[in-house]
Amino acid sequence: MAKGLKRNSRKGFTLVELLVVLVILAILAAAIIPSMMGFIDRAKQESVAAEQRSVLLAAQVELNELYGKGSIHLTGTDQLVTDDWDKRGELLKSIQKTADVPGRVTKVVYTKNAVEGKNDGHWTVTEARYTAKDGRAYVYTYDADSRSGAWTADH
């Protein structure tokens, strides 16, 4: 083999090739990251919505247990407010434990629905306050006329 025809035996990439690959990766990252942020925000919203549903179900379960044990009666007052009725917060702790949510249940209001011609009605969760683990507070309000409730952010 001639002296001037020596083969380059080094293996690897040149600096230009590495820069081209890095530029391509940067372009792809710039395109993907904003769409991923939207997915993350939607996932957080869905998570809080699931927590809110758990709080409502737990509140209703706890009320049914209280009624079943005879701790409350369907006569007398038309409204049960947990922070008034249960000064030690035992009912709220029970709701929190049943819901198994990372945030905090701070208030639940039960209202007795009047049934025409009868002395008793059934109890409904008409207000609930929940603070998610990110610190945002939400309030559930029930509209008896439309027979529907909705959660809103508490500003």
Side-chain angles (χ1 to χ4, degrees), residues 33-109:
I33 288 175
S35 66
M36 292 304 285
M37 295 305 288
F39 286 129
I40 291 169
D41 290 341
R42 280 193 296 263
K44 285 179 184 177
Q45 290 171 352
E46 289 297 321
S47 173
V48 170
E51 292 168 14
Q52 293 167 346
R53 283 189 296 273
S54 293
V55 167
L56 283 178
L57 289 172
Q60 198 63 48
V61 164
E62 291 300 321
L63 178 70
N64 291 342
E65 284 188 21
L66 286 173
Y67 180 68
K69 291 177 183 175
S71 298
I72 60 169
H73 305 286
L74 291 177
T75 57
T77 182
D78 288 340
Q79 199 172 61
L80 262 172
V81 181
T82 55
D83 55 1
D84 294 337
W85 179 68
D86 186 21
K87 293 293 184 193
R88 293 173 299 156
E90 295 300 319
L91 180 59
L92 286 177
K93 288 178 191 173
S94 225
I95 292 169
Q96 179 84 33
K97 184 177 178 183
T98 303
D100 192 26
V101 291
R104 219 177 99 214
V105 181
T106 55
K107 182 178 182 180
V108 176
V109 176

